[in-house]
Amino acid sequence: MERISHWIGGKVVAGESGRRGPVFNPATGEQTHEVDFASIEEVDSAVEAAADALPAWRATSLSRRSEIMFRIRELIERNRTEIARVITSQHGKVLSDATGEVQRGLENVEYACGIPNLLKGGFSEQVSTGVDVYSIRQPLGVVAGITPFNFPAMVPMWMFANAIACGNAFVLKPSEKDPGTSMLVAELLKEAGLPDGVFSVVHGDKVAVDRILEHPTVSAVSFVGSTPIARHIYETGTRNGKRVQALGGAKNHMIVLPDADVEMAADAAVSAGYGSAGERCMAVAVVVAVGDVADPVVDAIRERLPKVKVGDGTDPDSEMGPLVTRDHRDRVASYLDSAREQGATVVRDGREDEVYSRDGFFLGVSLIDRVRPDMDCYRDEIFGPVLGVVRVKTYDEALELVNANPYGNGVAIFTRDGGAARQFQFDVNVGMVGVNVPIPVPVAYYSFGGWKASLFGDSHMYGPEGVAFYTRGKVVTARWPDPSTSKVDLGFPRTR
Ligand code: NAD
């Protein structure tokens, strides 16, 4: 059994805690690796390596840091297929999707290549006679990132690209379900010339996470994962004096207005509902069909479902792979039973597909119609290939449904009416809005973040807010000695 160990101080360090977890190939159901779970002492040693590397890295010129980011970009680009292969073998998503994930992550590295420009401060000459004021942004120090299983390459890049470019040292605690990608990335960062200790990886579970949250040297924590853990991270981290951004779960709605192009809406719902087996925080989970459009939309989605090719992610014909673990697959499938019991119509049950009987953790694409907001399949984040349809009579009812939902990550509206779309964008309590775009993940030069239970903290991730998160401001007021104007003045400083 291959073992995945930590990456501390620029090299692989075998875990000594004696605690480990299994890593599976979700397409075959086989355990392929064991991953070490860090002890408190092992987290401490990664933080210590980061703290040791920090002074020199902080002092490294912007042009040199930018040069290293450019090299990281080149190496990740060159190894894109290899990274995607590791993602597919541990997460299960199909290779083309895994390659797309690397590409979207890489956007953040590209953004961070412009760090000399991003860290430019302001300068005001002659605020008082002979006095200038300027603002600078400085790194926080040792910062940490805790990431989910569903984007093992992209979400770490959301964090570490800006963090290290800003001059911080970064400790990553990736998901224990698919930890392999982070090791490959760690090697590439070293090859790019990043000094040892500036980027470390500790694997593990709650023990490692809780130690990060209470470690006195860690000044900021970025988290992406489920809402209950995000809340825990935010509350514990801030209680310990850390800056925290904690992105949580989601239940994304796609509203289809009566004037929408039904075929286009159905294509979008199927793509965004079942892509990556629904294991995306921006996946469409609920189609909200307004008025008479409901029957045509449900029919159009249903017609497309038998054509979705489900299979091993390494097969170029597969469009959707397995779920990440057997437990998760079974939990997802259980919503088909509860939906039926609670009065919804299961239009398609993915357990009836051949793939469900394979050894891998497959579930066929599933569709539930006539979902009501009080049903478990509406209330919970399912995070699988199970799309629900809620039928409402009016636009106002659709808006009320979305705004009453505790999550506020992404939402989409499908319509030909620009005025309706604009009103929706104005009214909706959700952080990322798509107009005829089902998965509105912002490009790297905007920032990513939901509202309500989808984000704890004040700051969205990556882009300009990411740079602000990983730095703090300083303002310098300066005067150069001019003996001819010097005198004692006990008054409060004011401009002259
Ligand atoms: P998760 O919350 O189970 O795990 C996320 C991280 O937290 C992992 O590194 C895990 O090891 C750690 N963790 C798990 N239990 C913990 C505990 N009790 N104490 C401390 N740490 C713990 O999430 P997941 O299943 O890996 O990922 C799926 C979830 O992530 C979904 O809810 C999805 O919506 C969410 N997600 C959100 C976004 C976003 O941008 N908002 C992006 C991707 C995923």
Side-chain angles (χ1 to χ4, degrees), residues 447-491:
S447 298
F448 180 110
W451 288 11
K452 301 187 275 184
S454 296
L455 187 143
F456 300 86
D458 303 321
S459 168
H460 288 197
M461 206 161 271
Y462 70 72
E465 294 199 32
V467 171
F469 180 80
Y470 288 121
T471 53
R472 65 191 142 193
K474 192 178 265 182
V475 178
V476 181
T477 304
R479 173 167 58 190
W480 292 99
D482 175 359
S484 68
T485 61
S486 179
K487 66 178 166 85
V488 172
D489 180 355
L490 300 191

Side-chain angles (χ1 to χ4, degrees), residues 290-343:
V290 179
D292 294 342
V293 84
D295 283 338
V297 162
V298 171
D299 287 346
I301 294 174
R302 184 180 30 208
E303 279 166 20
R304 283 161 171 75
L305 298 188
K307 297 176 203 144
V308 176
K309 295 193 191 76
V310 184
D312 188 324
T314 57
D315 178 347
D317 286 339
S318 299
E319 294 172 297
M320 187 186 107
L323 286 105
V324 69
T325 59
R326 184 175 301 282
D327 281 355
H328 183 55
R329 192 273 306 266
D330 293 346
R331 185 181 156 276
V332 168
S334 74
Y335 284 98
L336 294 160
D337 294 329
S338 70
R340 212 174 258 125
E341 283 155 21
Q342 292 165 10

